[in-house]
Amino acid sequence: MNLTDRDRQHLWHPYTQHKTAQPAIAIVRGKDALLWDENDKEYIDAIASWWVNPFGHSNTVIADAIYKQLTTLEHVLFGGFTHEPAILLGEKLLQILPDNQKKIFFSDNGSTAIEVAIKVSLQYFFNNNQKRTTIIAFEDAFHGDTFAAMAASGISLFTEAFNGMFIDVVRIPVPIKGREMASEAALKEAIKNNPCAAFIFEPLVQGAAGMVMYTPESLDQLIQICHANKVLTIADEVMTGFGKTGKNFACNYLKQQPDMICLSKALTGGTIPMAITTFTQDLFDAFYDDDINKALFHGHTFTANPTGCAAALASLSLLETDTMQHNIARVNQSHLAFQKHIQNHPKVSTTRVLGVIFALEIKIESQESYYGTMRNKLYNFFIEKGVVLRPVGNIVYILPPYIITQQQLEKVYTIVEEALEIV
Ligand SMILES: *Cc1c(COP(=O)(O)O)cnc(C)c1O
């Protein structure tokens, strides 16, 4: 039996209806932007394995750092203990994050980073003897699959089964072009009518919604309204962090600074699951007390895993290099050139680019769902051609590892253009 068949006997995959899904492709190795399956077919990983892998598969700099850490101290509990990789990572991150960020809390994945931010928001007001229990979030947001993260997410197809079991969330429109005023007005209404604790958002790009983009100016406006009303702000940079928008963080485009920032995905260069939530001093101080009940009683067994920290430190050192910054700029320039080339194609309705992120929307006659036929047709076409792309409905996006070669990137564009002919 091959790996694909053995997989099918026991394994349950994410976001998969096993009755109708194609068998999973068994990948046996990866190098840089390439993956190979068990039949030695080659694929270009044009979505960086769900946005986690900026520096390429099987990166030896990160692998060496992991090996060194594994053979020095693989793990130690973080309750009552600490270690240099966590300390160094905290110091390094605070150097590059917005300067109001002062405290680092570790967890395991994007969803837990969000849970921590939401729990801290709610307990912040509790500790200050105020009852504020509502979270404000964008329509079509995606913040993860654990309960509070799911509550804040607005993609209802994923969360229908749990309606009525969520924390209180008020949803406002995304300030895409033309909707800035509607978004601001809805935010003000939400704050006026509800005891709002925090506003959570994916800064500048909503990934899972299909790389929906909006301007820093419009987000600054919303954050400012929150600041004026003492509503906390949570920037979910799980997708946007570590160079994807062309700057280290999407928040670097803002004038206003959020109170909390959530990081994961590319944090360890796509190697080890790890996440971080960062906080202002004011947030930390609300938990700092003689009363033990004011502490943050949240933690995960593998909190601040030293091997993950070592991988993150190696990743940050790669991100900082001129070579990597040059790669980010190169991918961005290529995207812009492709955008110019493709935007007037009769099958294309809109295109957008920010940093290494490119998205195009295909014109549709009737409303197609996420699982619509167009999406599956496109996906299968890309896989057949040896390119890993996962369209969201009628939206095709490219988010490659920064180290993708120019030749590989051109091949991805060519195949995206060819795909327009089959829909
Ligand atoms: C992927 C993602 C999450 C969830 O992260 P997981 O590691 O999958 O739990 C949260 N927010 C955003 C913006 C994401 O892209």
Side-chain angles (χ1 to χ4, degrees):
M1 242 192 288
N2 65 14
L3 292 173
T4 292
D5 292 335
R6 281 164 59 197
D7 168 281
R8 213 156 16 174
Q9 293 187 309
H10 306 295
L11 305 187
W12 193 342
H13 285 258
Y15 306 116
T16 302
Q17 173 48 269
H18 279 278
K19 186 163 184 192
T20 52
Q22 310 258 12
I25 298 164
I27 297 297
V28 291
R29 66 201 159 86
K31 188 66 195 161
D32 301 331
L34 297 176
L35 296 166
W36 288 271
D37 73 13
E38 62 181 325
N39 304 314
D40 217 33
K41 178 171 172 178
E42 185 180 287
Y43 302 84
I44 300 173
D45 185 356
I47 55 166
S49 283
W50 266 344
W51 323 335
V52 299
N53 193 311
F55 315 121
H57 291 280
S58 309
N59 182 289
T60 51
V61 173
I62 304 175
D64 288 346
I66 289 173
Y67 181 78
K68 200 163 154 234
Q69 189 58 48
L70 275 177
T71 47
T72 306
L73 173 69
E74 82 301 341
H75 184 67
V76 64
L77 69 165
F78 211 54
F81 292 86
T82 191
H83 50 79
E84 194 173 27
I87 294 164
L88 274 174
L89 180 56
E91 289 169 353
K92 256 200 121 174
L93 272 177
L94 291 183
Q95 278 169 18
I96 59 171
L97 283 164
D99 59 17
N100 70 335
Q101 296 302 301
K102 300 290 184 214
K103 296 286 173 183
I104 302 270
F105 191 92
F106 288 91
S107 64
D108 303 339
N109 57 69
S111 304
T112 54
I114 302 294
E115 294 292 319
V116 169
I118 291 178
K119 283 176 73 176
V120 164
S121 305
L122 299 173
Q123 193 179 339
Y124 171 85
F125 289 104
F126 180 87
N127 283 359
N128 285 324
N129 296 314
Q130 285 182 56
K131 198 169 159 54
R132 292 213 198 181
T133 51
T134 300
I135 303 295
I136 307 163
F138 278 140
E139 287 164 2
D140 293 331
F142 180 72
H143 297 295
D145 291 338
T146 54
F147 250 83
M150 189 168 51
S153 297
I155 299 171
S156 58
L157 193 65
F158 297 161
T159 59
E160 230 177 344
F162 312 103
N163 278 345
M165 298 171 233
F166 291 133
I167 56 167
D168 295 335
V169 174
V170 175
R171 233 164 274 295
I172 65 169
V174 186
I176 52 170
K177 207 164 187 283
R179 300 211 69 192
E180 296 93 338
M181 299 308 286
S183 185
E184 266 181 51
L187 178 63
K188 286 180 184 160
E189 274 297 299
I191 293 172
K192 201 170 91 191
N193 298 327
N194 303 278
C196 292
F199 168 41
I200 184 167
F201 50 85
E202 295 156 88
L204 309 193
V205 191
Q206 290 187 298
M211 303 298 159
V212 171
M213 297 181 188
Y214 58 97
T215 63
E217 292 74 26
S218 60
L219 183 56
D220 268 328
Q221 207 62 36
L222 298 177
I223 296 176
Q224 202 175 354
I225 293 168
C226 288
H227 284 340
N229 289 280
K230 306 233 173 322
V231 172
L232 298 167
T233 49
I234 304 168
D236 177 354
E237 293 236 22
V238 170
M239 190 282 282
T240 49
F242 305 105
K244 303 226 184 69
T245 63
K247 298 197 181 201
N248 282 340
F249 303 101
C251 287
N252 296 140
Y253 286 92
L254 300 174
K255 293 200 180 71
Q256 301 291 323
Q257 297 183 331
D259 298 295
M260 288 162 262
I261 298 176
C262 302
L263 304 168
S264 186
K265 294 222 160 94
L267 172 63
T268 63
T271 58
I272 292 179
M274 172 171 262
I276 282 175
T277 313
T278 69
F279 300 96
T280 60
Q281 189 67 42
D282 179 48
L283 276 159
F284 180 80
D285 288 347
F287 292 71
Y288 190 81
D289 201 279
D290 291 322
D291 181 359
I292 188 163
N293 291 320
K294 291 206 167 170
L296 177 61
F297 284 103
H298 185 105
H300 299 282
T301 312
F302 279 99
T303 297
N305 171 249
T307 313
C309 292
L313 283 164
S315 293
L316 280 175
S317 72
L318 288 171
L319 180 64
E320 281 171 351
T321 60
D322 288 345
T323 314
M324 206 57 70
Q325 292 301 317
H326 177 79
N327 277 328
I328 293 172
R330 171 180 59 88
V331 171
N332 175 253
Q333 288 302 314
S334 308
H335 282 350
L336 291 170
F338 180 56
Q339 178 181 41
K340 216 167 160 191
H341 168 74
I342 206 80
Q343 63 192 356
N344 295 322
H345 189 289
K347 295 251 178 82
V348 172
S349 64
T350 64
T351 57
R352 38 188 183 264
V353 174
L354 183 66
V356 303
I357 307 167
F358 170 91
L360 71 74
E361 291 194 24
I362 298 172
K363 282 184 191 156
I364 41 173
E365 257 85 82
S366 61
Q367 201 53 48
E368 302 250 0
S369 75
Y370 185 85
Y371 298 103
T373 51
M374 183 195 279
R375 187 263 171 207
N376 290 343
K377 214 166 151 187
L378 288 166
Y379 177 79
N380 293 338
F381 177 80
F382 294 137
I383 290 296
E384 189 199 304
K385 296 282 179 183
V387 176
V388 180
L389 286 170
R390 287 177 63 97
V392 180
N394 63 320
I395 301 167
V396 177
Y397 73 84
I398 306 168
L399 200 171
Y402 309 159
I403 50 73
I404 190 170
T405 67
Q406 202 54 32
Q407 201 186 2
Q408 290 161 346
L409 194 52
E410 297 299 337
K411 181 177 170 191
V412 175
Y413 296 145
T414 303
I415 284 164
V416 168
E417 189 167 357
E418 280 175 27
L420 296 174
E421 303 310 322
I422 63 140
V423 292

